[in-house]
Amino acid sequence: MGVMRLGVVETRVMDLEESLRYYTQVVGLQLTGREGNRAYLKAWDEEDHHSVVLVESDRPGLEHMAFKVRFQDDLDKFEKSIEQYGIKVNRVSKGARMAEGQAIEFKLPTGHIMQLYNEIEKVGNGLKLNPDPWPDNLKGMAPPNLDHLLLTGDDIQSVTDFMTRVLDFHISEQVVSVDGEQLIGTFLFRTNSPHDIAFIKGPDSKLHHFAFHLDNWNEVLRAADLLTKNDIALDIGPTRHGLTRGTTVYFFDPSGNRNEVFSGGYVPCADFTPITWTEDQLGKAIFYLERQLNERFVTALT
Amino acid sequence: MGVMRLGVVETRVMDLEESLRYYTQVVGLQLTGREGNRAYLKAWDEEDHHSVVLVESDRPGLEHMAFKVRFQDDLDKFEKSIEQYGIKVNRVSKGARMAEGQAIEFKLPTGHIMQLYNEIEKVGNGLKLNPDPWPDNLKGMAPPNLDHLLLTGDDIQSVTDFMTRVLDFHISEQVVSVDGEQLIGTFLFRTNSPHDIAFIKGPDSKLHHFAFHLDNWNEVLRAADLLTKNDIALDIGPTRHGLTRGTTVYFFDPSGNRNEVFSGGYVPCADFTPITWTEDQLGKAIFYLERQLNERFVTALT
Amino acid sequence: MGVMRLGVVETRVMDLEESLRYYTQVVGLQLTGREGNRAYLKAWDEEDHHSVVLVESDRPGLEHMAFKVRFQDDLDKFEKSIEQYGIKVNRVSKGARMAEGQAIEFKLPTGHIMQLYNEIEKVGNGLKLNPDPWPDNLKGMAPPNLDHLLLTGDDIQSVTDFMTRVLDFHISEQVVSVDGEQLIGTFLFRTNSPHDIAFIKGPDSKLHHFAFHLDNWNEVLRAADLLTKNDIALDIGPTRHGLTRGTTVYFFDPSGNRNEVFSGGYVPCADFTPITWTEDQLGKAIFYLERQLNERFVTALT
Amino acid sequence: MGVMRLGVVETRVMDLEESLRYYTQVVGLQLTGREGNRAYLKAWDEEDHHSVVLVESDRPGLEHMAFKVRFQDDLDKFEKSIEQYGIKVNRVSKGARMAEGQAIEFKLPTGHIMQLYNEIEKVGNGLKLNPDPWPDNLKGMAPPNLDHLLLTGDDIQSVTDFMTRVLDFHISEQVVSVDGEQLIGTFLFRTNSPHDIAFIKGPDSKLHHFAFHLDNWNEVLRAADLLTKNDIALDIGPTRHGLTRGTTVYFFDPSGNRNEVFSGGYVPCADFTPITWTEDQLGKAIFYLERQLNERFVTALT
């Protein structure tokens, strides 16, 4: 039983048409559905109906994120354990969004809305019978899949406690104050990747970025080239994170939501000894090569 | 609970000194212990005391493989479920091999000896406090970690049934006869990688190869260069597998055990729809670029 | 003054339509003209009207190759020096082929037809004003430019003598018999690349292959993937040459002419000390990783 | 006849020991000689005795640069043509610096000291008989060779005129004012690389940077990692230049001289149509991904 992976990120965008152009042509996601003020997208190697939902709104930001659990029964178990932990849980009905089954929804100690779900329509990736390693007609950055997201909040200790004790996430990395007393950031995983979700100290309920996976450092450069070719705002990169060792480019969707393409990093299991960064090394932890944060890193949140 | 990953491969070698030179200087593993006719090695990014055990013998081959489980209690549970499945289980005492705790041992339907364990001494990778992304003084191919192994056996259906039903492995890919009636190979995972273990039709109890992870295709070329520079027997590659999409070089240790360096592939979870290859496409399945097996692929087993 | 680079390869193909599909869709050249039984193609980063001419014929092979010289006056000078060397030179009139100016033509000691020319229509690459680093809408392997060709002949010494003394090519590498007495192959350059043309011992007047440049080893893999995706005959690779250090894939056009995509290698100037390979190391010289020739290497000539 | 390549950069450093540690351990050059206040270094794939000379001084900067010509006679011819152009030429005696023969020396319109030479002791790269593609025991970034340098000066038109008309360099790229009236920068080549030397508008006699060649974008990342691992000041990168298409990292030696590792770019010949950048696109021209100059780009000169 348990959480398998980050399955869906629902993001508010201010102009759905413009955002769709960006997410389909530049990022290179596939549009799989549209209904009302929402558009549904998937990356090319994903089998489920969608991993990104764009919802038109008057402001950017994260509407909710959803992690996929292995079994439908997991929803009952998590409902119980989350409620026991003291967090209220709601049931979301099947069909609240296109192609999705029932889910449970709750608010993290950092104010973010999280859902857990198991049922979602599979549309497939077309690569299941004597397949080639990659399909034709890929567009843009063409990430194979959604990777992780980073959120800000005031109480990193509490949200980490919840994520690890109730949802059984593992800590890959943490940033602590120099005296070791305060937790400033935690990177958490369920898959064997350096992070499926991460939290850093900042205003509650805010999105720092969500990220797509790329295969390698050459793809990261190609993604960065595409930003300039398409006149999309670059935040930083190509560079390497100290945290996760991954290589990266940060950039912004037309509504100001930060996106990332991410590649590399190690392969942790549940017995991974967490890596600790001290706050005085935060620059290097975030941007290993630059060794300092740019101002936008802490201010550009949605 | 459950199996985390392939933790240890114990391989028979015919000249321990020569093999150690090869595994430490060419592959680039680190020697962490030696006792009697055994040498213990780990890859640079692994935290546990060892992932490869070389045991001197008069013939090559796989002495045993061991998967690490998350909790010590998992051993009891698996002991029960494996016995219920009808396979005899032995306890292996702590200290039977250096740095290892208690384990359970049993024979797969294909005749291979498998162990499950939780306790093993951690020696660390030295990258836990404000770390650099890679250490100095790496040698040889310098894989960060052990990746998977491929075994041959007569009854692929049975071993797959056991691995999935009892040990809760998931099928990423399978090779079937053209009429779909017979299972010729299965690729199985617990981590989010295309395979932690795989079985193909062939003689029982034999090792086809065990593989180390490399970060990218450039590293695969560098590994292949090192084979020629060190006059090590190449089997095939650099090439791409159809199965797993991974890039690869196959080569042989001084005793004739096939090794692999492997990079790439997709990121499956438990809900992954298995990929099916039909036997008539086996060449492309194994070597996507060559589209045919070399003879050694089916004959060079240890 | 002098020879600048390999400018044009004219190749016989047996089915022009099928060949055009291959060269435009799989290799990814651009069709720039068609006239009679000839089609004219260029790689995306080339400025001249064409670098590859396909001419429909009843057999494959090299119709001619042409090197571009820096100045129109160079034609007169070379005409004189080539005639003085004892080789007959013909003038080819402007317009003998589409977009080409006058050329001089002569037969190498190995029987191959070579031309020198300066005038050819420039069609450009569209990247001359505030350009992006690469254009949109690339197809197939999308090499930026033609790189080199390899020819076979009986008298390597004589052709090398002519190429170096009269055309001022430089030797980057040579293969000699173990006793050093006989020249078996020479690699020659005018640009700062390991070879613009090469000759190896074999039947006169034959083409071994012509090659396109790719930027890196990842592109070489992608090219190899495209071969399988398009069901094109692979010869060998991805691998590394010992000669030139370059990485490579060899494959065949629909008429059996061998093509190559080539990447890497060193950056020689006129003062480069030639590298010598002895015949007993020929396998490693040609295919550094496999360390042996496949049979096709010496038999598949057009 | 003519200029072959950038052969030697002589740089002033303020602490020779510290600089040697940096250039040998971090950049990874080989120390080939030491005499008085000078140290001589070469990159691993270079055959000549040195390509970098460090000379201890009380200030950083470029002492001189030297281009290697093909023939000894070229010195006489260039002496004449340079004097005819109106620039005074001095002869530098053999042995003025270790391993060097006679040279001619003159001052560019931008105030920089340039030398031309043909004779220099060859120490070789050890890869001339049945060689492996790369040697063992490489250190640091391990560039195979020196690549180019960028200088600042007031009169770009004049220095470009001299370089092209007298030394027969070719223009690959130029930056012009928006009205096209003023030349702000020129990139010039003799080898088939996007630049062997470049000039941009700025104070006379100043060095912007000199650069080493790396094989690929992965090596560029590795170089950047080494900067952080060794606590060396990064300027910018890894990124891509618009000018030249090359990928790059800029950083500083212990005296503040800017170094670069550079990879990629196109393959120009003498018939290359120059690329033009307008000044309003200068940010993108220099740093294609960031699309703006950092302040240091124009102020950190030595």
Side-chain angles (χ1 to χ4, degrees), chain B residues 258-278:
Chain B
R258 188 186 280 99
N259 289 171
E260 181 185 24
V261 284
F262 177 89
S263 184
Y266 44 83
V267 187
C269 285
D271 63 338
F272 187 81
T273 303
I275 294 167
T276 298
W277 294 84
T278 51

Side-chain angles (χ1 to χ4, degrees), chain B residues 288-299:
Chain B
Y288 179 73
L289 305 179
E290 291 79 3
R291 293 165 256 173
Q292 58 185 0
L293 301 187
N294 57 5
E295 194 200 325
R296 280 192 305 271
F297 184 82
V298 288
T299 58

Side-chain angles (χ1 to χ4, degrees), chain C residues 172-173 187 189 192-195 242-246 264-268 272 275, chain D residues 45 145 215:
Chain C
S172 56
E173 314 213 15
F187 287 61
F189 67 97
N192 305 99
S193 74
H195 53 353
L243 285 147
T244 76
R245 293 183 196 161
Y266 43 83
V267 186
F272 187 81
I275 293 167
Chain D
D45 204 24
N145 52 273
D215 273 358

Side-chain angles (χ1 to χ4, degrees), chain D residues 256-269:
Chain D
N257 296 302
R258 188 186 281 99
N259 288 171
E260 182 186 22
V261 285
F262 177 88
S263 185
Y266 43 83
V267 186
C269 284

Side-chain angles (χ1 to χ4, degrees), chain B residues 132-136 216 218 222 225-226 228-229, chain D residues 132-136 216 218 222 225-226 228-229:
Chain B
D132 290 312
W134 41 276
D136 295 328
N216 58 57
N218 282 49
R222 193 177 156 279
D225 283 342
L226 285 168
T228 299
K229 282 172 78 93
Chain D
D132 290 310
W134 42 274
D136 295 329
N216 58 56
N218 281 49
R222 193 178 157 280
D225 283 344
L226 285 169
T228 299
K229 283 172 78 91

